[in-house]
Amino acid sequence: MKTRSQIYSGEALSILRDLSTYHCMARGQLLRMHPGKENKVDRLISYLARQKRIREDGAYCYAVSEDEDAKDKKVIAALWVLVDFIDRVDFHAAGNFPAQVIFLADDEIYEIAYVEKGREALVSQLLAEKNAKDSLFIVVVESEEQIAMLGGGNIVGYCTVSEDGQVKYYQKEEGE
């Protein structure tokens, strides 16, 4: 017979690792990180919170040492994009600016970069300086209008992310 720790150990370790890595995640993101195990993960989140190993406020979960300042809108948006690909992801981690998240899927390295309004030129320059063979970039923008102002690097797509985690994807047409 399996013990509770044997039953939950993989998912519990994953939740703790993810919250240690990203500091704050929407509860829905943690659930989607484990397709087919949402009920199990939901119970685990509540259990870990009762044990004071994580902190939750209903919609968001935090590493136990983090407060609400740990809720970074750029990271949260990038994580919504990540969970769209989670069934193909072999590994993921926090990225280095301009990327918030980096992941490995289908033998390719992807980076998810969030671009605030007014920072398009800076991010375009940074992406252009990166070796195009290193990573493929998915760029999260605050509005569709920003897409025309972005370029450089190996951008495979653009997207917007709503407050509730809905991701809408875009691609530039050839020659744009």
Side-chain angles (χ1 to χ4, degrees):
M1 182 150 73
K2 290 185 177 181
T3 66
R4 174 182 282 196
S5 69
Q6 290 171 322
I7 294 169
Y8 292 124
S9 65
E11 289 82 10
L13 289 175
S14 177
I15 291 168
L16 294 170
R17 175 207 175 267
D18 292 342
L19 287 174
S20 294
T21 300
Y22 304 114
H23 308 290
C24 173
M25 295 177 69
R27 187 183 190 101
Q29 292 169 336
L30 285 167
L31 297 175
R32 287 188 54 197
M33 289 284 213
H34 304 276
K37 298 180 181 180
E38 292 86 354
N39 289 336
K40 184 181 194 182
V41 170
D42 193 45
R43 288 190 306 271
L44 256 176
I45 290 169
S46 297
Y47 173 77
L48 291 169
R50 282 193 311 276
Q51 297 296 313
K52 302 207 183 306
R53 301 207 45 211
I54 66 171
R55 197 171 57 74
E56 67 171 328
D57 68 7
Y60 292 92
C61 299
Y62 303 85
V64 75
S65 61
E66 302 293 338
D67 59 20
E68 290 198 22
D69 291 340
K71 193 180 339 176
D72 182 338
K73 74 174 186 175
K74 296 178 283 195
V75 173
I76 298 292
L79 288 170
W80 283 119
V81 176
L82 175 68
V83 297
D84 273 356
F85 296 93
I86 202 65
D87 59 329
R88 297 174 23 208
V89 171
D90 295 317
F91 174 80
H92 61 90
N96 293 318
F97 185 79
Q100 279 65 46
V101 174
I102 185 170
F103 67 96
L104 177 65
D106 303 327
D107 296 324
E108 296 281 357
I109 299 170
Y110 293 87
E111 295 188 55
I112 306 168
Y114 185 101
V115 182
E116 295 172 294
K117 285 185 180 179
R119 304 208 40 150
E120 297 87 3
L122 171 66
V123 173
S124 290
Q125 179 65 36
L126 291 170
L127 293 179
E129 290 174 8
K130 286 206 165 231
N131 184 341
K133 293 179 182 157
D134 287 346
S135 297
L136 302 172
F137 284 89
I138 301 169
V139 179
V140 180
V141 293
E142 293 178 345
S143 70
E144 286 179 59
E145 294 78 37
Q146 290 176 271
I147 296 171
M149 297 181 267
L150 289 160
N154 201 3
I155 300 173
V156 294
Y158 301 86
C159 60
T160 56
V161 180
S162 67
E163 288 284 323
D164 65 350
Q166 297 299 310
V167 183
K168 189 172 182 182
Y169 294 93
Y170 306 88
Q171 267 189 320
K172 280 187 178 180
E173 296 295 321
E174 287 293 321
E176 276 190 74

